[in-house]
Amino acid sequence: MPDKAAVIAALDAILDPKSGQGLMAAGLVQGLTVADDRAGFVIEVPAGDTRLYAPVRDAAEAALKALPGMARVSVVLTAEAVAATRPVRTASLSPQAVDQTRAKAPAPTDRPAHVRRVLAVASGKGGVGKSTVSVNLAAALAARGLSVGLLDADVHGPSIPTMLGLSGKPEYVDGMMQPHLTRGLKAMSVGLLTRAEDAMVWRGPMASQALTQMLTQTRWGTEDAPLDILVVDLPPGTGDIQLTLIQKTPLDGAVIVTTPQEVALADARRAHALFQKVNVPTLGLIENMSGDVFGRGGGEAEAGRLGVSFLGDVPLDAAVRTGGDAGAPVVLADPNGAVALRFAGFAEAVSEKLGL
């Protein structure tokens, strides 16, 4: 097992180009973990300094890989640290005062360079098949002739590499990450920076910074070949990652995924409420895993209550699951099948709503 003291010494032997101190002494190493045969950490730098620190990241990786017993190293370079907010004591405040202390919706900066539209795929609840919908919806959009990117924003539980059969770290060219190109999609995920079994033991700000890097420091498109749409597969809930995405880029719309049960529908309402608060249109709701096991019709009824479009349902079908496990989304594995045709309908509706 690698010695943590040796890891720290190796990192301190690499100098910060600005301060001249070692990386540890300069405070650039965040979230260092050393376990079994691997080590990982985040280098946090000011916005605009990623090109300066890309060689530093490479040197850190090389230094750790040279240590005895070290088989796997993951070094993530992030920028624009999220400022900490002071907690507000609300126990003795009136409801009106509490409402005034709530965080305001962050103002988005700008969309990623050369990206025409950004679409969030969200769910309030985990386990409803949101990543499955994201991958197949992205593939269906690409089948319409659009240039499509897929960003896996579920930092703690990335699924996209498995569902698309991807592995290997992205290349860096001129300080920008190059997304993996597969099956007509440009894909990026923190899962490409770590092993599938690794746990990303990151607090909220670090997870948000990883998302920021993948969103803004990935070359999704170029001036000559812009990306038509970036599909962002969000984690469940309404927390740090969702707010970071809203802060970093204008969202052109959101698709909410649910299953027919009330426990999932209640969380879908919360996801819709979040997007309402930040003026992001909910383009529609998709009911996944529809059928005898979980029931059917709950998603359509909920869409009516929320006043949003019901895009349709996806039946509980073993082919959807096996395709995701094998890295072959059902839309591509069986393009003329019933499930693929439903996703083609979702893609058509989303394209029309976004003007693509």
Side-chain angles (χ1 to χ4, degrees):
M1 179 176 177
D3 178 37
K4 189 169 185 177
V7 169
I8 293 174
L11 294 176
D12 249 345
I14 301 171
L15 300 183
D16 172 13
K18 284 192 170 182
S19 68
Q21 296 178 302
L23 295 185
M24 294 293 298
L28 291 174
V29 177
Q30 301 292 326
L32 176 63
T33 59
V34 181
D36 297 331
D37 61 348
R38 61 188 184 274
F41 64 94
V42 176
I43 299 178
E44 296 181 308
V45 300
D49 280 355
T50 53
R51 181 176 298 184
L52 174 65
Y53 281 89
V56 176
R57 177 206 57 232
D58 295 341
E61 282 192 347
L64 295 190
K65 287 179 179 177
L67 294 176
M70 189 68 72
R72 182 77 175 183
V73 175
S74 175
V75 181
V76 177
L77 177 62
T78 69
E80 296 185 29
V82 177
T85 57
R86 187 175 182 178
V88 178
R89 296 182 181 272
T90 61
S92 61
L93 297 180
S94 67
Q96 292 81 5
V98 170
D99 185 69
Q100 292 174 0
T101 64
R102 289 175 179 164
K104 300 298 187 295
T109 51
D110 198 5
R111 65 183 70 250
H114 310 304
V115 174
R116 295 178 59 199
R117 300 285 189 272
V118 181
L119 173 71
V121 178
S123 69
K125 186 180 185 301
V128 299
K130 173 184 47 56
S131 294
T132 297
V133 170
S134 296
V135 170
N136 283 284
L137 178 59
L141 288 165
R144 293 179 58 82
L146 299 173
S147 174
V148 182
L150 180 59
L151 172 58
D152 187 353
D154 195 345
V155 174
H156 295 290
S159 303
I160 298 306
T162 298
M163 292 185 171
L164 287 177
L166 297 176
S167 63
K169 293 186 177 181
E171 295 183 357
Y172 279 78
V173 177
D174 296 329
M176 296 288 287
M177 290 189 294
Q178 308 302 303
H180 282 247
L181 181 59
T182 180
R183 302 179 183 274
L185 302 173
K186 294 182 177 180
M188 178 59 67
S189 169
V190 74
L192 298 172
L193 305 172
T194 62
R195 294 187 304 183
E197 64 269 24
D198 286 344
M200 306 308 294
V201 189
W202 291 350
R203 295 187 185 275
M206 294 176 66
S208 296
Q209 290 160 18
L211 172 63
T212 298
Q213 181 186 14
M214 293 188 295
L215 181 69
T216 65
Q217 298 171 31
T218 299
R219 184 167 284 114
W220 295 107
T222 65
E223 185 174 354
D224 295 332
L227 195 73
D228 289 316
I229 182 170
L230 177 62
V231 178
V232 184
D233 177 27
L234 287 170
T238 54
D240 288 333
I241 294 296
Q242 286 80 0
L243 292 176
T244 296
L245 179 67
I246 293 165
Q247 181 183 38
K248 293 301 177 184
T249 183
L251 294 177
D252 296 287
V255 169
I256 297 176
V257 181
T258 185
T259 50
Q261 316 100 297
E262 175 58 31
V263 67
L265 295 170
D267 288 333
R269 292 180 206 121
R270 297 184 181 97
H272 174 64
L274 167 66
F275 292 120
Q276 275 191 313
K277 288 181 179 180
V278 295
N279 298 318
V280 173
T282 297
L283 303 185
L285 188 146
I286 293 174
E287 178 180 292
N288 193 30
M289 304 183 197
S290 180
D292 295 336
V293 176
F294 297 113
R296 57 168 52 89
E300 184 172 10
E302 187 61 34
R305 284 191 290 268
L306 297 177
V308 301
S309 298
F310 179 62
L311 298 180
D313 59 23
V314 180
L316 188 63
D317 190 326
V320 178
R321 192 269 304 168
T322 56
D325 288 347
V330 67
V331 164
L332 300 175
D334 186 16
N336 296 316
V339 174
L341 293 178
R342 297 198 186 203
F343 275 104
F346 303 160
E348 180 180 7
V350 168
S351 298
E352 290 179 355
K353 291 174 182 289
L354 295 178
L356 294 173

